[in-house]
Amino acid sequence: MRWLYTAAGLLLGPNIIVHSRPNTVQRVTPRVLIVSLFDPEADVWYENLPKSGLGDLLAMNISVPGLSPLFPAVHCTAEGTICQVTTGESEINAATTVNSVVLSGMFDLRKTYFLIAGIAGVNPKHGTLGSVAIAKYAVQVALQHELDAREMPPNWTTGYFSYGTFRPGQYPTILYGTEVFEVNEALRDAAYGYASKVRLEDSADARAYRKRYAAGGPSYAMATRPPSVIKCDSATSDVYYSGHLMSETFENVTRLLTNGSATYCVTAQEENAILEVLVRLDIWGLVDYGRAIIMRTGSNFDRPAPGVDVLDNLRAAEQNGITLATTNLYLAGVSIVRGILSEWDGVFQKGIAAPNYLGDIFGTLGGQPDFGPNGVDGAGL
Ligand SMILES: *[C@@H]1O[C@H](CO)[C@@H](O)[C@H](O)[C@H]1NC(C)=O
Ligand SMILES: *[C@@H]1O[C@H](CO)[C@@H](O)[C@H](O)[C@H]1NC(C)=O
Ligand SMILES: *[C@@H]1O[C@H](CO)[C@@H](O)[C@H](O)[C@H]1NC(C)=O
Ligand SMILES: *[C@@H]1O[C@H](CO)[C@@H](O)[C@H](O)[C@H]1NC(C)=O
C-alpha cells in the first residue's frame, strides 16, 4: 500500500496529498465514516466537530485514487476514529467514491459505521424543512420505463411503469438488483434514539414557508409543525424531480417495490448507489452492511403547497431550507456519532444484531427479502 500511496501522491501533487504523518502509512480504522454528498453537508462537520470535543476532521487528509476530483481526500480526526468523505452528487459519483475508499486498502472498514448524512427533498405528508429522517429502506424509484406524459395512453396517471410491464402499477418482471435496500432496523432505531435527544433548530423563514401547507389540510399537518426526527424512507433518483404528480408517482413506486413496507418521505440522489457498494463489499468481508445508517434532512419540499406553482416551488420560492437542513444534519449526526463512540466497547464494536432482513432485492447477503418477488433469480424474469 505504501507504493500505491506514493504513486497517488506523485500523480496528484503535494497540494492534494496532505498527511499529518507523511512518512508512515498505516491503515486507518475509523469507527464512523460520515458520507457527505456535496460541500454544504461536509462543511458543517469541518466547522462544528472541533467544538464538540470529538476531534478535527481536517487533522488528517488522505488522498485516495478514484475519489471525485472536486473532493480528492478522505478527512479524519487525528486518531482516525472519525472519518468523512464527500462523494459528489448523484448515483455515479456516490458509488465510485465509496467503492474507491473501501478498495483503496488504506482503511480497515470492517467495523466501521457508515453514516450517510445528506439533505433532501421532503414529503409534506411526513415532514418539513429541517426534519431529520432516518430510513430503513432506500428505493431507486426512477429505474423504470418512462413515456412523456403528453404521449402516454389517456387513462394513465403517470408515464412511469416498471421494467417488463405494460402499464403503471405493475410489479416489475425484470430486476437489476439495486431497486430496494433494507438496512439494520435495530441500528436505525438506535440512531433515531440518539438523534431524538437533540434540540433541533427551527427558523423564522422556514416557519413562514411551511405555514402555506396548512391549506392542504390534515394530510399536510407534519409540514406545518416544527422539525422533528422521523422514521421513514428514502427515494433515490438521478433526476431531481418536483411536483405533486412526480412525487405521488414515486410514493406509489415505493409502495409497490417494497410490498407496502416502505414510506416515501425524503428524496435524494445517492442511497442506492452507496448501499449497492456496501452489499458487494460485505460479501468480501471488507465492510459490514449491517452498519449502514441513512439520515436525510429536509431542505425543500418535493411538491408545492396549495396555490404555489410547481416551478416556483422548485426554483423561485424562498424555502430557506438549506441552512436549516445542514444545521440539523450536524446536530442529529453528531449525536449519533457521539452515541456510537460512547457505547463502542459494550455495544457498537461487536455490532447490533439486525432483527430484520438485510440487503438488496436479490437476497445477496442471505435470507429472504420481505419485499421483492419470491424466488426471483439474478437474471430477472
Ligand atoms: C486538510 O485539508 C484542509 C483543506 O481541505 C486544510 O485546511 C487542512 O489544513 C489540511 N490538514 C492538514 C493536516 O494538512
Ligand atoms: C387503460 O385502458 C386499457 C385499455 O382499455 C386497459 O387495458 C388498462 O387496464 C387501463 N388502465 C391502465 C392504467 O392502463
Ligand atoms: C398513485 O396511486 C393511487 C392509488 O392507486 C392512484 O389513485 C394515483 O392516481 C396514483 N398517482 C399517480 C401520479 O400515478
Ligand atoms: C410483492 O408483491 C409482488 C406483486 O404483487 C408479489 O409478486 C411478491 O410475491 C410480493 N413479495 C413478497 C415478499 O411478498
Side-chain angles (χ1 to χ4, degrees), residues 171 259 369-374:
Y171 197 85
N259 292 68
D370 50 338
F371 51 88
N374 299 317

Side-chain angles (χ1 to χ4, degrees), residues 153 155-157 166-168:
N155 64 347
W156 286 20
T157 55
F166 296 91
R167 58 175 179 275

Side-chain angles (χ1 to χ4, degrees), residues 18 20 58-61 75:
V18 189
S20 58
L58 300 179
M60 184 161 41
N61 301 328
H75 299 281

Side-chain angles (χ1 to χ4, degrees), residues 177-189:
T178 56
E179 289 82 356
V180 183
F181 292 90
E182 184 169 344
V183 300
N184 187 336
E185 185 173 8
L187 176 61
R188 191 274 302 258
D189 291 348

Side-chain angles (χ1 to χ4, degrees), residues 157-158 245 248-249 252 255:
T157 55
T158 175
L245 294 176
E248 200 183 285
T249 290
N252 288 351
R255 208 177 303 120

